[in-house]
Amino acid sequence: MNNEKTYKTMVNVGASDLTLGIIVLVTGIVTGIMMIINGARLLKRKSDLIF
């Protein structure tokens, strides 16, 4: 009975860690893409920004 509780706890912790890892990964990818797009916009308008 004690082993069942331990197993269920480990399964729940593993599932939540996996979910959190996927969320962090997706957030990182989206942030990186947005930074690349904004950098490309800056490079495109570089001549307008330089005084």
Side-chain angles (χ1 to χ4, degrees), residues 1-49:
M1 182 166 184
N2 195 17
N3 289 338
E4 281 184 44
K5 288 182 180 181
T6 304
Y7 177 76
K8 287 181 181 180
T9 301
M10 291 176 69
V11 167
N12 289 335
V13 168
S16 64
D17 285 347
L18 183 63
T19 303
L20 185 61
I22 291 170
I23 291 170
V24 169
L25 180 68
V26 170
T27 303
I29 290 172
V30 170
T31 303
I33 291 171
M34 288 174 61
M35 290 175 71
I36 291 171
I37 290 171
N38 287 331
R41 285 183 189 166
L42 284 173
L43 287 175
K44 185 177 178 183
R45 297 193 176 121
K46 183 171 73 170
S47 61
D48 295 339
L49 297 173

